[in-house]
Coordinates of all heavy atoms in Angstrom, one line a residue:
L296 N 10.8 7.7 -6.5 CA 11.5 8.0 -5.2 C 10.7 8.9 -4.4 O 10.9 10.1 -4.2 CB 12.8 8.6 -5.5 CG 13.8 7.6 -6.4 CD1 15.2 8.2 -6.3 CD2 13.7 6.2 -5.9
V297 N 9.6 8.4 -3.7 CA 8.8 9.1 -2.7 C 8.9 8.3 -1.4 O 9.1 7.1 -1.4 CB 7.3 9.2 -3.2 CG1 7.3 10.1 -4.5 CG2 6.7 7.9 -3.5
P298 N 8.7 9.0 -0.3 CA 8.9 8.4 1.0 C 7.8 7.3 1.2 O 6.7 7.4 0.7 CB 8.8 9.5 2.0 CG 9.0 10.8 1.3 CD 8.6 10.5 -0.2
G299 N 8.2 6.4 2.1 CA 7.1 5.4 2.6 C 7.5 4.1 2.1 O 8.6 3.8 1.5
M300 N 6.5 3.2 2.3 CA 6.7 1.8 1.9 C 6.2 1.5 0.5 O 5.2 2.1 0.1 CB 5.8 0.8 2.9 CG 6.4 0.7 4.2 SD 5.6 -0.7 5.1 CE 6.4 -0.6 6.7
H301 N 6.9 0.6 -0.2 CA 6.6 0.2 -1.6 C 6.7 -1.3 -1.6 O 7.6 -1.9 -1.3 CB 7.7 0.8 -2.5 CG 7.8 2.3 -2.5 ND1 7.0 3.1 -3.3 CD2 8.5 3.2 -1.7 CE1 7.3 4.4 -3.0 NE2 8.2 4.4 -2.0
R302 N 5.5 -1.9 -2.1 CA 5.4 -3.3 -2.0 C 5.5 -3.8 -3.6 O 4.7 -3.4 -4.4 CB 4.0 -3.7 -1.5 CG 3.7 -5.2 -1.5 CD 4.6 -6.0 -0.6 NE 4.5 -5.8 0.8 CZ 3.7 -6.4 1.7 NH1 2.8 -7.2 1.2 NH2 3.7 -6.2 2.9
L303 N 6.6 -4.5 -3.8 CA 6.8 -5.0 -5.2 C 6.6 -6.6 -5.2 O 7.1 -7.3 -4.5 CB 8.3 -4.8 -5.6 CG 8.6 -3.3 -6.1 CD1 8.5 -2.3 -5.0 CD2 10.1 -3.3 -6.6
H304 N 5.6 -6.9 -6.1 CA 5.3 -8.3 -6.3 C 6.1 -8.9 -7.5 O 5.9 -8.5 -8.6 CB 3.8 -8.5 -6.5 CG 2.9 -8.1 -5.4 ND1 2.4 -9.0 -4.4 CD2 2.5 -6.9 -4.9 CE1 1.7 -8.3 -3.5 NE2 1.8 -7.1 -3.8
L305 N 7.0 -9.8 -7.2 CA 7.9 -10.3 -8.2 C 7.8 -11.8 -8.3 O 7.1 -12.5 -7.5 CB 9.4 -10.0 -7.8 CG 9.6 -8.5 -7.5 CD1 10.9 -8.3 -6.7 CD2 9.8 -7.7 -8.8
N306 N 8.3 -12.3 -9.4 CA 8.3 -13.8 -9.6 C 6.9 -14.4 -9.5 O 6.6 -15.3 -8.8 CB 9.2 -14.5 -8.6 CG 9.9 -15.7 -9.1 OD1 11.1 -15.7 -9.4 ND2 9.1 -16.8 -9.3
G307 N 5.9 -13.7 -10.2 CA 4.5 -14.2 -10.2 C 3.9 -14.0 -8.8 O 2.9 -14.8 -8.5
G308 N 4.3 -13.1 -8.0 CA 3.8 -12.9 -6.7 C 4.3 -13.8 -5.5 O 3.9 -13.7 -4.4
Q309 N 5.3 -14.7 -5.9 CA 5.9 -15.6 -4.9 C 7.0 -14.8 -4.2 O 7.4 -15.3 -3.0 CB 6.5 -16.8 -5.6 CG 5.4 -17.7 -6.1 CD 6.0 -19.0 -6.8 OE1 6.6 -18.8 -7.8 NE2 5.9 -20.1 -6.1
V310 N 7.7 -13.9 -4.7 CA 8.7 -13.1 -4.0 C 8.2 -11.6 -3.8 O 7.8 -11.0 -4.8 CB 10.0 -13.1 -4.8 CG1 11.0 -12.1 -4.2 CG2 10.6 -14.5 -5.0
I311 N 8.1 -11.2 -2.6 CA 7.5 -9.9 -2.3 C 8.6 -9.0 -1.6 O 9.1 -9.3 -0.5 CB 6.3 -10.1 -1.4 CG1 5.2 -11.0 -2.0 CG2 5.6 -8.8 -1.0 CD1 4.0 -11.3 -1.2
L312 N 8.9 -8.0 -2.2 CA 9.9 -7.1 -1.8 C 9.2 -5.8 -1.2 O 8.4 -5.2 -1.9 CB 10.9 -6.6 -2.9 CG 11.8 -5.5 -2.6 CD1 12.8 -5.9 -1.5 CD2 12.7 -5.1 -3.9
T313 N 9.4 -5.6 0.1 CA 8.9 -4.4 0.8 C 9.9 -3.4 1.1 O 10.8 -3.6 1.9 CB 8.1 -4.8 2.1 OG1 7.2 -5.8 1.7 CG2 7.5 -3.6 2.7
L314 N 10.0 -2.4 0.3 CA 11.0 -1.3 0.4 C 10.5 -0.2 1.2 O 9.4 0.3 1.0 CB 11.4 -0.8 -1.0 CG 12.3 -1.7 -1.8 CD1 12.4 -1.1 -3.3 CD2 13.7 -1.8 -1.3
T315 N 11.2 0.3 2.2 CA 10.9 1.5 2.9 C 11.9 2.5 2.5 O 13.0 2.4 2.9 CB 10.9 1.3 4.4 OG1 9.9 0.3 4.7 CG2 10.6 2.6 5.2
F316 N 11.5 3.6 1.8 CA 12.4 4.7 1.5 C 12.3 5.7 2.7 O 11.3 6.4 2.8 CB 11.9 5.3 0.2 CG 12.2 4.6 -1.0 CD1 11.6 4.8 -2.3 CD2 13.1 3.5 -1.0 CE1 11.9 4.1 -3.4 CE2 13.4 2.7 -2.1 CZ 12.8 3.1 -3.4
G317 N 13.3 5.6 3.5 CA 13.4 6.4 4.7 C 14.5 5.9 5.6 O 15.1 4.9 5.3
D318 N 14.7 6.5 6.7 CA 15.9 6.2 7.6 C 15.4 5.0 8.4 O 14.4 5.0 9.2 CB 16.1 7.4 8.5 CG 17.3 7.2 9.3 OD1 17.9 6.1 9.4 OD2 17.8 8.2 9.9
A319 N 16.1 3.9 8.3 CA 15.8 2.6 9.1 C 15.9 2.9 10.6 O 15.1 2.3 11.3 CB 16.8 1.6 8.7
A320 N 16.7 3.9 11.0 CA 16.8 4.1 12.5 C 15.5 4.7 13.0 O 15.2 4.4 14.2 CB 17.9 5.1 12.7
T321 N 14.7 5.4 12.2 CA 13.5 5.9 12.7 C 12.2 5.1 12.2 O 11.2 5.0 12.8 CB 13.2 7.3 12.3 OG1 13.3 7.4 10.9 CG2 14.3 8.2 13.0
Q322 N 12.4 4.4 11.0 CA 11.3 3.7 10.4 C 11.2 2.2 10.9 O 10.1 1.6 10.6 CB 11.4 3.7 8.9 CG 11.3 5.1 8.3 CD 10.0 5.7 8.6 OE1 8.9 5.1 8.5 NE2 10.0 6.9 9.2
L323 N 12.1 1.7 11.6 CA 12.1 0.3 12.0 C 10.8 0.1 12.9 O 10.2 -0.9 12.8 CB 13.3 -0.1 12.8 CG 13.4 -1.6 13.2 CD1 13.7 -2.5 11.9 CD2 14.6 -1.8 14.1
R324 N 10.5 1.1 13.8 CA 9.3 0.9 14.6 C 8.0 0.9 13.8 O 7.0 0.5 14.4 CB 9.4 2.1 15.6 CG 9.0 3.5 15.0 CD 8.8 4.5 16.1 NE 10.1 4.8 16.7 CZ 10.9 5.9 16.4 NH1 10.5 6.7 15.4 NH2 12.0 6.0 17.0
A325 N 8.0 1.3 12.6 CA 6.8 1.3 11.7 C 6.6 -0.1 11.2 O 5.5 -0.3 10.5 CB 6.9 2.4 10.7
I326 N 7.5 -1.0 11.3 CA 7.3 -2.3 10.6 C 6.5 -3.2 11.5 O 6.7 -3.3 12.8 CB 8.7 -2.9 10.3 CG1 9.5 -2.0 9.4 CG2 8.7 -4.3 9.8 CD1 8.9 -1.9 8.0
D327 N 5.7 -4.0 10.9 CA 4.9 -5.1 11.6 C 5.2 -6.4 10.8 O 4.7 -6.5 9.7 CB 3.4 -4.8 11.6 CG 2.7 -5.8 12.5 OD1 3.2 -6.9 12.8 OD2 1.6 -5.4 12.9
A328 N 6.1 -7.2 11.4 CA 6.5 -8.4 10.7 C 7.1 -9.4 11.7 O 7.4 -9.0 12.8 CB 7.5 -8.1 9.6
S329 N 7.2 -10.6 11.3 CA 7.8 -11.7 12.0 C 9.0 -12.2 11.2 O 8.8 -12.8 10.2 CB 6.9 -12.8 12.3 OG 7.4 -13.8 13.1
V330 N 10.2 -11.8 11.6 CA 11.3 -11.9 10.7 C 12.2 -13.1 11.1 O 12.5 -13.3 12.2 CB 12.3 -10.6 10.8 CG1 13.5 -10.8 10.0 CG2 11.5 -9.4 10.4
D331 N 12.5 -14.0 10.1 CA 13.2 -15.1 10.2 C 14.7 -15.0 10.1 O 15.5 -15.8 10.7 CB 12.8 -16.2 9.2 CG 11.3 -16.5 9.4 OD1 11.0 -17.1 10.4 OD2 10.6 -16.3 8.4
A332 N 15.2 -14.0 9.4 CA 16.6 -13.7 9.1 C 16.9 -12.3 8.9 O 16.2 -11.6 8.2 CB 17.1 -14.6 8.0
F333 N 18.0 -11.8 9.5 CA 18.3 -10.4 9.4 C 19.7 -10.3 8.6 O 20.6 -11.0 9.0 CB 18.6 -9.7 10.8 CG 17.3 -9.6 11.6 CD1 16.9 -10.6 12.6 CD2 16.4 -8.5 11.4 CE1 15.8 -10.5 13.3 CE2 15.2 -8.4 12.1 CZ 14.9 -9.4 13.1
F334 N 19.7 -9.4 7.6 CA 20.9 -9.1 6.9 C 21.3 -7.7 7.5 O 20.7 -6.6 7.1 CB 20.7 -9.0 5.4 CG 20.4 -10.3 4.7 CD1 20.2 -11.5 5.4 CD2 20.3 -10.4 3.3 CE1 19.9 -12.7 4.7 CE2 20.0 -11.5 2.7 CZ 19.8 -12.6 3.4
L335 N 22.3 -7.6 8.3 CA 22.7 -6.3 8.9 C 23.7 -5.8 8.0 O 24.9 -6.1 8.1 CB 23.2 -6.5 10.3 CG 22.2 -7.1 11.3 CD1 22.7 -7.1 12.8 CD2 20.8 -6.5 11.2
D336 N 23.4 -4.9 7.1 CA 24.3 -4.4 6.1 C 24.2 -2.9 5.9 O 24.2 -2.4 4.7 CB 24.0 -5.1 4.7 CG 25.1 -4.9 3.7 OD1 26.2 -4.7 4.1 OD2 24.8 -5.0 2.5

Side-chain angles (χ1 to χ4, degrees):
L296 303 192
V297 295
M300 285 190 183
H301 302 268
R302 179 66 66 89
L303 280 63
H304 295 261
L305 304 161
N306 214 106
Q309 292 179 289
V310 175
I311 301 173
L312 172 61
T313 303
L314 283 169
T315 295
F316 287 164
D318 190 344
T321 57
Q322 293 302 308
L323 187 69
R324 69 173 70 97
I326 298 293
D327 189 336
S329 181
V330 178
D331 299 297
F333 293 97
F334 292 5
L335 304 186
D336 196 26

